[in-house]
C-alpha cells in the first residue's frame, strides 16, 4: 500500500507529490524547516497528510531543542507557530499541532526535554496510525451508501492515500466500493491549476487497476448531463459546525452541477477535519496562491503578461448541496447542525478518555 | 485591429492561433490542403473564422483546377467534401461551403473555370467582409443588454476577433460594452484543454487594455458565488431550431452555474451559426479530440499511462439556460422556437434577394 508519509529511524520521509506521476521520490526531512517547506510547496498535501506531517515536524523541531532546557518550551511554541503558518485552510494542520502541544503541556517545564520529545514522537505516531484506522472506517461506512450496480462516481482533486497517511478518505470509499463491485469506473476531474486529479488520483487508481476516465474540470457538467456518473465523492479541508465544506477549488461548482442533475454529492472526512469553533463556511480562511500556478504550465507561460489572475486554492460548498458527510463515526445527514453537534460531543468524550 | 484571416494577392494568411500568445505568426496558405490542415489542427478556430477560412480554401482549390475544364466541377465537389470533413461541430463551416457552392451552381458547366473562380473569390471576400459587419451589429445589439454600471462579465473560450474575421461575437459585445463604460472587467475561464481563454481571449483583451482576470475553469462557480460577475457572455458553434447551443466544452457547466446564481447567460452568434435543419441540440454532432490534449501539456505528460480519457471538444447548453441570443438581426428571447423560426424567415428573404 502506497504511503505518502513514513517515519523511520527518526527521519520523516515525505513522498514528493509535486513530481508525480513522472517520479516517485521521497524527501528526507531531518529538521522541521524541511517539513514546513514541504507543506508550503505542496510536496505533501491533503488535509490529513498535512496534519500528520506537521506533527512529525514538531517532533523534529523539539529534538533539536533537546540539549537546551532553557529554550525548549519557548522554542517548541515558536516552531508550532511557524508550522501553523505554512497553510491556512486545512484545519487538520491546527488540530494536529494542538494535539501535540496538549501532550507537551502535560509535562512540567522542569522535565527533561528528552522525555517530552519521546512523548511527542509517540503522539505523532499515534496520529499517523489513527489516520489509517480512521480512513478504513470511513471507507466501510461510505461503501454502504452505494447499493446499485454499475455505479460510476466522479471525484475532484485527490482525497486518496496521497492526501492522508494511507488509504484515503473519498478514494478510500471508492476503493472499498470498487472492491465490493459497487463501482465500475471513476471519473476524475484533472483539478487545475495543480492537476492533483490527473497527476495523483488517476495515478493512485491506475496502480490498483480501478478503471479511470480522466476529464478536464469543465467537462464535469457534460458528463453528468450525459448520465455517465451517478454520484460525486470528494474529501474536505475544513468543515464548519453547520456542515459547510471547504475543499479544493472547483468542489463548489461540482456540487452545484450535482444538484442540478439530481446526483448525490458525498463528502468523506475524518473528525479532525471538522472545525467545531466556527459556525459556518464564511469563517473559513481561503488560501490564495501564486498567479504562476495559473499562468504557467511546466515552466511554459500560457497567459499573456499584464493581466490579473485570481487563484483561490479552495472554495466553500454550502451545506445544502451536500447529501451526506462520511466520517469514522458514521454517515452524517442533514440537518448538519444537529449531526455535527452530536459528533462534537462524542469526540469530546473520546478525547477526555 | 487584429485580423485572424487576411486574403491578399491570392494567398490566405491565417494567424496561427496555436502559437499565441508566445508568437504572432501567420501561415501562408497557397493551396486548399494547407487550409484544411490549419482547420483540423486548430491553427484557425472559432466558428465564423473556420467558415471564412474554408471559403477561401475552396477558392484556392478551385484555382488549382482552373486549367482543367474536364475535372473542374468534380474536383470542386471533392474539395468541398474534404473541407467539410475537417471539423464536425461548427455549422459555419458547412454554411460557408454551401454558400460558395451555391454561387458556383449558378454557372453552366461549360463556363470558363476562370470566371467561376473569380465569382468564388468574390463570394469568399463577401463572406469575410460580411462577418465584420455582422459582428459590429451583434456588438451594438449586445451592448444594449448592459445597463448597469460596475458590470463584470465572465466569458468562456474565445469568441473574439481570433474566432471570427474581425471584432468577435461575444468579445465584440464585451468590447462595445466596455467602450461604453458598462463593463469594468472581464473574467476569463482559461478553457482547458487547449486554453483558448488564457492564450487567446486574455491576450486579445489585454492588447486593448480591457481589465482581465484569468481564472481556471473550476473557479467560475466560486467567482459567481462571491458576486464577482454579473453576466456571462459566450459564443456558439451551432444553434438548433429550439435554441439549444453547442459551444466549447465547459459552456454547459457555466450555464448551470449562472442559473444557480441568478446571473444572465447570453450567447452571441451570427445567423450563420444557426442550423435551421435540426430541431434540437441532440442532433448536433460533438467532436471528440485526441486524448493527448488532456494528458499532456506543452509536451509534458501530466497523467499516468493506462487510463481512459474523455475529450469532447464541445457540449450542448439546453435553451432553458439561455437568457438571450444576440444576433446581427437583434436579440432573441425565449421562447426560442418562435424567435428562431422568425429569424429563419427573415434570413431566407435575405438570401433570395
Amino acid at each position: 500500500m502506497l504511503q505518502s508519509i513514513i517515519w523511520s529511524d527518526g527521519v520523516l520521509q515525505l513522498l514528493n507529490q509535486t513530481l508525480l506521476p513522472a517520479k516517485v521520490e521521497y524527501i528526507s526531512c531531518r529538521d522541521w524547516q524541511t517539513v514546513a517547506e514541504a507543506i508550503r510547496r505542496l510536496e505533501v498535501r491533503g488535509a490529513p497528510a498535512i496534519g500528520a506531517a506537521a506533527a512529525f515536524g514538531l517532533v523534529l523541531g523539539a529534538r533539536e531543542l533537546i540539549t537546551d532546557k532553557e529554550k525548549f518550551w519557548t522554542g517548541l511554541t515558536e516552531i508550532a507557530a511557524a508550522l501553523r503558518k505554512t497553510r491556512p485552510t486545512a484545519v487538520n494542520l491546527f488540530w494536529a499541532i494542538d494535539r501535540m502541544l496538549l501532550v507537551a503541556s502535560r509535562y512540567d517545564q522542569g522535565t527533561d526535554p528528552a522525555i517530552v520529545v519521546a512523548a511527542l514522537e509517540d503522539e505523532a505516531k499515534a496520529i499517523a496510525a489513527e489516520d489509517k484506522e480512521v480512513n478504513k472506517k470511513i471507507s466501510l461506512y461510505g461503501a454502504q451508501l452505494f447499493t446499485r450496480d454499475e455505479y460510476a462516481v466522479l471525484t475532484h482533486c485527490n482525497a486518496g492515500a496521497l492526501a492522508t497517511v494511507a488509504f484515503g478518505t473519498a478514494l478510500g470509499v471508492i476503493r472499498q466500493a470498487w472492491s465490493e463491485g459497487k463501482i465500475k469506473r471513476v471519473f476524475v476531474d484533472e483539478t487545475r491549476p495543480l492537476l492533483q486529479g490527473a497527476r495523483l488520483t488517476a495515478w493512485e487508481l491506475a496502480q490498483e487497476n480501478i478503471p479511470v476516465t480522466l476529464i478536464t474540470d469543465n467537462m464535469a457538467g457534460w458528463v453528468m448531463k450525459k448520465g455517465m456518473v451517478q454520484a460525486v465523492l470528494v474529501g474536505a479541508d475544513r468543515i464548519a459546525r453547520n456542515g459547510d465544506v471547504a475543499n479544493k477549488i472547483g468542489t463548489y461548482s461540482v456540487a452545484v452541477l450535482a444538484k442540478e442533475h439530481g446526483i448525490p454529492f458525498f463528502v468523506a472526512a475524518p473528525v479532525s477535519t471538522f472545525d467545531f469553533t466556527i459556525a459556518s463556511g464564511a469563517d473559513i480562511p481561503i488560501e490564495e496562491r501564486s498567479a504562476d500556478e495559473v499562468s504557467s504550465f511546466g515552466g511554459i507561460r500560457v497567459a499573456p503578461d499584464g493581466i490579473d489572475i485570481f487563484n483561490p486554492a479552495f472554495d466553500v460548498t454550502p451545506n445544502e448541496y451536500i447529501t451526506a458527510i462520511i466520517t469514522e463515526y458514521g454517515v452524517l445527514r442533514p440537518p448538519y447542525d444537529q449531526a455535527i453537534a452530536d459528533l462534537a460531543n462524542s469526540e469530546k468524550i473520546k478525547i477526555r478518555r
Side-chain angles (χ1 to χ4, degrees), chain A residues 152 154 187 215 218-230 257 260-261 263:
Chain A
L154 182 140
F187 281 79
I215 58 172
N218 60 20
M219 292 172 192
W222 188 234
V223 161
M224 293 182 193
K225 177 78 179 168
K226 288 178 79 74
M228 295 165 91
V229 297
Q230 289 77 45
L257 291 165
E260 182 76 6
H261 295 89
I263 293 170

Side-chain angles (χ1 to χ4, degrees), chain A residues 48 92 131 134-135 138 169 239 268-274 326-328:
Chain A
N92 308 60
D131 188 57
V134 156
N135 292 342
I138 288 173
T169 53
I239 302 175
V271 171
S272 55
T273 299
F274 286 76
I326 308 155
T327 78
E328 67 269 40

Side-chain angles (χ1 to χ4, degrees), chain A residues 10 30 56 74 83 202 234 294 308 322 332:
Chain A
R30 295 164 199 282
F56 285 115
T74 54
L83 285 167
V234 298
V294 175
D308 296 316
I322 299 163
L332 312 187

Side-chain angles (χ1 to χ4, degrees), chain A residues 13-344:
Chain A
Q13 304 284 351
L14 296 177
L15 179 55
N16 187 343
Q17 302 191 31
T18 63
L19 302 180
L20 289 172
K23 254 188 187 168
V24 177
E25 195 175 286
Y26 283 82
I27 300 163
S28 298
C29 306
R30 295 164 199 282
D31 53 58
W32 71 267
Q33 291 91 342
T34 307
V35 179
E37 203 50 29
I39 295 173
R40 210 171 294 126
R41 290 187 193 167
L42 276 55
E43 289 162 347
V44 60
R45 36 64 52 202
I50 291 171
F56 285 115
L58 205 59
V59 175
L60 292 171
R63 208 173 55 188
E64 286 171 36
L65 299 164
I66 213 162
T67 55
D68 193 340
K69 212 172 181 175
E70 294 295 306
K71 287 192 185 158
F72 182 78
W73 293 99
T74 54
L76 194 66
T77 312
E78 282 165 20
I79 293 166
L83 285 167
R84 275 181 208 276
K85 279 185 193 146
T86 49
R87 296 195 71 195
T89 303
V91 79
N92 308 60
L93 173 67
F94 312 110
W95 169 87
I97 293 170
D98 286 346
R99 189 167 150 174
M100 295 291 284
L101 292 180
L102 185 69
V103 166
S105 73
R106 289 183 190 137
Y107 294 87
D108 189 278
Q109 301 241 342
T111 314
D112 178 356
I115 293 171
V116 185
V117 171
L120 287 173
E121 184 176 346
D122 286 346
E123 189 68 6
K125 285 181 185 170
I127 286 173
E130 285 170 27
D131 188 57
K132 294 187 203 182
E133 289 309 308
V134 156
N135 292 342
K136 278 187 198 161
K137 286 183 190 164
I138 288 173
S139 303
L140 291 168
Y141 279 122
Q144 291 173 22
L145 295 169
F146 297 84
T147 51
R148 281 189 278 160
D149 284 340
E150 303 257 333
Y151 235 90
V153 299
L154 182 140
T155 190
H156 187 75
C157 198
N158 175 270
L162 293 165
T164 61
V165 176
F167 212 56
T169 53
L171 283 199
V173 174
I174 287 171
R175 281 189 169 89
Q176 185 61 37
W178 183 76
S179 73
E180 295 176 16
K182 293 172 174 173
I183 289 175
K184 300 283 169 67
R185 179 166 289 275
V186 185
F187 281 79
V188 176
D189 280 353
E190 63 172 8
T191 317
R192 279 280 286 152
L194 296 178
L195 301 172
Q196 292 94 337
R199 294 190 304 106
L200 309 180
T201 298
W203 181 74
E204 269 196 60
L205 296 174
Q207 287 211 322
E208 299 178 31
N209 297 313
I210 300 176
V212 169
T213 301
L214 178 66
I215 58 172
T216 62
D217 299 302
N218 60 20
M219 292 172 192
W222 188 234
V223 161
M224 293 182 193
K225 177 78 179 168
K226 288 178 79 74
M228 295 165 91
V229 297
Q230 289 77 45
V232 176
L233 249 161
V234 298
D237 288 87
R238 197 187 293 215
I239 302 175
R241 277 209 310 271
N242 69 344
D244 289 353
V245 168
N247 192 45
K248 178 56 54 195
I249 187 71
T251 302
Y252 170 62
S253 289
V254 175
V256 170
L257 291 165
K259 179 189 160 201
E260 182 76 6
H261 295 89
I263 293 170
F265 182 88
F266 299 122
V267 174
V271 171
S272 55
T273 299
F274 286 76
D275 185 345
F276 300 115
T277 70
I278 59 170
S280 83
D283 299 327
I284 300 176
I286 300 296
E287 176 180 12
E288 286 194 31
R289 294 185 61 87
S290 161
D292 296 343
E293 292 183 355
V294 175
S295 64
S296 297
F297 198 95
I300 300 163
R301 176 95 188 176
V302 293
D305 294 322
I307 59 166
D308 296 316
I309 288 170
F310 182 47
N311 185 19
F314 303 93
D315 57 30
V316 175
T317 300
N319 56 17
E320 63 261 33
Y321 294 95
I322 299 163
T323 310
I325 303 176
I326 308 155
T327 78
E328 67 269 40
Y329 288 92
V331 175
L332 312 187
R333 296 275 187 181
Y336 290 112
D337 280 311
Q338 189 53 51
I340 294 173
D342 293 347
L343 183 72

